[in-house]
Amino acid sequence: MDLIPAPLRVQPRPDAPPFVLHAGSRIAVAPGAEAAARRLRAELSAATGFDLDPAPAGEDGDLRLALDPELGAEEYRLSADADAVRLTGGGPAGLAHAGQTLRQLLGPAAYRSAPLPGADWTVPAVEVHDAPRFGWRGAMLDVARHFMPKAGVLRFVDQLAAHKLNVLHLHLTDDQGWRIEVRRYPKLTEVGGWRERSMVGFRAGGRRDDQPHGGYYTQDDLREIVAYAAARGVTVVPEIDLPGHNQAAVAAYPELGNTDVVDTAALGTWTDWGVSENILNASEATLRFYEHVLEEVLEVFPSTFVHLGGDECPKEQWKRSDAAQARIAELGLKDEFELQSHVIRHFDRWLAERGRRLIGWDEILEGGLAPGAAVSSWRGYEGGIAAASAGHDVVMCPEQHVYLDHRQADGPDEPVPVGWVRTLEDVYRFEPVPPQLDAAAAAHVIGTQANIWTEFMPTGREVDYKAFPRLAAFAEVAWSDLPRDPAARDWADFERRMAAHYPRLDALGIEYRRPEGPRPWQRRPGVVGRPLEGPPGPSAGVAAP
Ligand code: TNX
């Protein structure tokens, strides 16, 4: 049946007659399953052209949806025979996953938005029992470096849901763009929401375009995205990066910057790639400003976790700034790292008081981790190991393994050579929990995430190419109960199932990288990247135990 991600248990019944969905099929919905049923009906009736009306009261129905409180929230059972397909979920998310499995069983055409002639809607007789390994199965999309219009984000949510991924981490702010409307501070998007031009490829290539780039989401757009994702079992986690990666905000409100060492009024939204030195100042006024920003963020995003970045914050300006040094002295801090910690701790408390939790990149460990904070471990496993061992929750997303902006093959045709070569097989063999963690620390690895940075992906088409098919392998790593030893994973079987999965991606309209390489129009000749030679650098825990 070639399901991806592989379920916990599948029992095919090859001798039993299959189920066939037809124009007269009806859906029976038990209490609590209404929303999931609406979704499934919308998806399947678009693909099949069948109405899939509710079964009349007292009749069983062909598709039967119900909740079972004995199952975990994301756990589900699917049972198909000639009579019916029964979908049972522990909660609405479990039912959503069951619906996705049914789509895979119906065949690639179930991913289209209208029926083709001669379609066949046979589901083989089977019993599936399934539940995820991790509760956080994420993808981060960088909509700051290149804006992705709302329709593209909704489409990306569909792609995540089809792979049973359940967290969309939206990187909403960076040096090169501010993408969320803030009512109290309109210049964040008026000024910070666009830039004059962009680098094409990395600095060394010396290429720029003369094309203004910009865009932002209104709060209503984001509410729509949040609700659309929730209906598909996906939680949207917003990221407002601070105190670094803030040139767009400083360009909009120069008083946020280190005004005693730079003329921040002369700054624009950054037109380079890399890490800008124009970080926030750490004054009380700036903390208040970001509290106001976050008040609006919390109104839009109901997620428990709020990502506050904390990464790559160059300290040069704070070192030179009398105001920053006075602040360090006034707060009794040791150095600039402790000043960064002070900012993060402030918002850790601030979020906790509002029933939320802070998550940040692993640099938030430097200068002391805030008590309630969780860590996105990106510079390898080390940050995650330190945080988990100290009892903090961790999302493993090491750049050596799951940075999908990195190139997927060696060779001159591969578009924009960034980072290390990370093939589909490499991603399949990524293990989120390093073997040296004991059981208690391992339990703090709440999940894993693939990150899609978009410096070199100007549109959704390039995102498609970089994200897929690797996100399919990543989804299996995050969901399925694979051998923990990467070398023991059955790559050949995954590759065989991928042969059935590519037609699903085709039907979804995803412009993935084909196994034989980029198509001519997917190349970007002459665009210089930032290749890292040799195997990915040392990172604890990658070796098989
Ligand atoms: C590091 S990961 C970054 C991003 C870049 C990415 C490019 C992280 C927290 N910071 O700002 O886009 O590398 O691979």
Side-chain angles (χ1 to χ4, degrees):
M1 291 165 206
D2 301 333
L3 299 171
I4 289 182
L8 206 52
R9 273 183 280 283
V10 187
Q11 222 174 19
R13 295 163 54 202
D15 300 330
F19 172 84
V20 181
L21 192 72
H22 57 87
S25 294
R26 298 278 180 270
I27 303 193
V29 185
E34 296 85 356
R38 265 198 305 278
R39 286 245 34 77
L40 187 67
R41 183 181 177 194
E43 270 167 15
L44 294 186
S45 48
T48 61
F50 305 153
D51 288 334
L52 304 174
D53 285 330
E59 283 183 30
D60 278 343
D62 306 275
L63 301 177
R64 301 176 195 166
L65 280 76
L67 294 179
D68 176 353
E70 304 274 290
L71 301 178
E74 290 201 283
E75 189 177 354
Y76 73 89
R77 292 180 188 278
L78 182 153
S79 148
D81 58 29
D83 280 346
V85 181
R86 297 162 205 84
L87 306 132
T88 314
L95 269 178
H97 300 320
Q100 294 297 343
T101 297
L102 175 58
R103 267 171 113 189
Q104 295 203 354
L105 293 171
L106 281 164
Y111 289 91
R112 293 194 181 268
S113 306
L116 305 185
D120 160 39
W121 303 109
T122 302
V123 177
V126 68
E127 305 283 334
V128 178
H129 176 205
D130 203 3
R133 177 177 173 198
F134 292 109
W136 181 305
R137 305 179 303 280
M140 188 220 69
L141 188 62
D142 169 11
V143 294
R145 269 56 175 274
H146 281 105
F147 179 68
M148 182 180 279
K150 184 193 76 180
V153 178
L154 298 175
R155 174 178 175 270
F156 190 63
V157 168
D158 285 330
Q159 297 171 359
L160 298 185
H163 291 86
K164 300 187 174 76
L165 294 168
N166 69 343
V167 174
L168 170 59
H169 166 177
L170 274 185
H171 183 74
L172 287 166
T173 67
D174 214 305
D175 296 312
Q176 298 86 357
W178 183 284
R179 308 289 175 217
I180 169 175
E181 172 195 24
V182 177
R183 289 189 309 270
R184 185 167 179 146
Y185 300 121
K187 285 196 281 184
L188 285 171
T189 45
E190 283 167 18
V191 175
W194 68 284
R195 58 180 179 262
E196 296 273 2
R197 63 182 61 78
S198 305
M199 275 187 171
V200 178
F202 210 58
R203 196 175 307 279
R207 270 176 72 174
R208 289 171 189 275
D209 61 19
D210 277 311
Q211 173 67 47
H213 178 86
Y216 68 91
Y217 311 106
T218 66
Q219 294 189 3
D220 281 347
D221 290 341
L222 290 165
R223 285 196 180 89
E224 178 186 353
I225 291 169
V226 165
Y228 185 90
R232 288 154 182 79
V234 176
T235 300
V236 184
V237 173
E239 179 183 353
I240 305 293
D241 205 340
L242 51 87
H245 284 288
N246 257 290
Q247 184 163 327
V250 173
Y253 292 94
E255 65 271 25
L256 296 174
N258 294 286
T259 50
D260 58 344
V261 293
V262 256
D263 178 10
T264 54
L267 290 174
T269 304
W270 211 25
T271 56
D272 285 11
W273 307 131
V275 181
S276 167
E277 296 204 342
N278 292 302
I279 67 171
L280 299 177
N281 65 48
S283 68
E284 284 299 321
T286 295
L287 296 183
R288 290 296 91 67
F289 183 101
Y290 274 81
E291 286 172 2
H292 295 146
V293 168
L294 289 171
E295 277 166 12
E296 297 191 27
V297 168
L298 298 195
E299 283 174 21
V300 173
F301 295 94
S303 61
T304 302
F305 280 102
V306 175
H307 206 294
L308 292 188
D311 58 313
E312 298 180 320
C313 180
K315 307 291 188 300
E316 279 64 28
Q317 293 187 355
W318 283 357
K319 283 191 183 134
R320 289 190 283 121
S321 156
D322 290 340
Q325 292 304 320
R327 190 86 170 118
I328 288 172
E330 168 201 337
L331 295 165
L333 304 174
K334 198 168 80 213
D335 57 13
E336 296 76 24
F337 289 95
E338 288 198 354
L339 187 55
Q340 163 153 351
S341 279
H342 170 79
V343 173
I344 299 292
R345 279 168 192 265
H346 173 82
F347 286 106
D348 183 57
R349 268 195 313 276
W350 189 90
L351 285 171
E353 283 161 15
R354 286 156 184 80
R356 308 294 185 102
R357 291 183 62 193
L358 183 149
I359 182 164
W361 302 109
D362 56 57
E363 285 93 335
I364 68 171
L365 284 154
E366 295 162 3
L369 193 54
V375 168
S376 305
S377 187
W378 76 275
R379 295 177 299 179
Y381 289 88
E382 289 83 351
I385 290 170
S389 305
H392 289 268
D393 286 341
V394 169
V395 174
M396 280 291 184
C397 50
E399 62 171 345
Q400 292 84 351
H401 300 276
V402 284
Y403 265 37
L404 300 187
D405 54 329
H406 290 194
R407 55 204 160 132
Q408 4 200 4
D410 223 341
D413 286 344
E414 200 59 32
V416 199
V418 175
W420 292 286
V421 174
R422 299 282 82 190
T423 64
L424 183 62
E425 179 172 355
D426 291 329
V427 173
Y428 192 64
R429 294 192 192 278
F430 162 60
E431 169 50 35
V433 180
Q436 62 266 52
L437 289 185
D438 63 25
H444 280 293
V445 179
I446 59 173
T448 181
Q449 184 171 295
N451 294 337
I452 304 169
W453 300 100
T454 59
E455 288 95 331
F456 309 120
M457 293 173 229
T459 76
R461 296 185 77 180
E462 289 86 8
V463 172
D464 271 17
Y465 181 88
K466 290 287 184 142
F468 288 98
R470 291 183 295 184
L471 219 41
F474 175 76
E476 182 145 315
V477 165
W479 177 281
S480 305
D481 189 26
L482 298 179
R484 305 305 188 243
D485 173 2
R489 293 191 182 160
D490 191 346
W491 162 248
D493 177 66
F494 180 75
E495 215 179 12
R496 189 188 55 70
R497 284 181 286 127
M498 275 306 292
H501 198 65
Y502 287 119
R504 297 178 193 136
L505 302 182
D506 285 324
L508 277 166
I510 300 177
E511 296 187 272
Y512 55 87
R513 181 189 190 277
R514 296 153 72 86
E516 57 275 19
R519 291 174 152 181
W521 59 89
Q522 292 175 318
R523 298 183 208 142
R524 310 230 3 238
V527 179
V528 169
R530 185 178 54 91
L532 299 164
E533 300 301 333
S539 61
V542 282

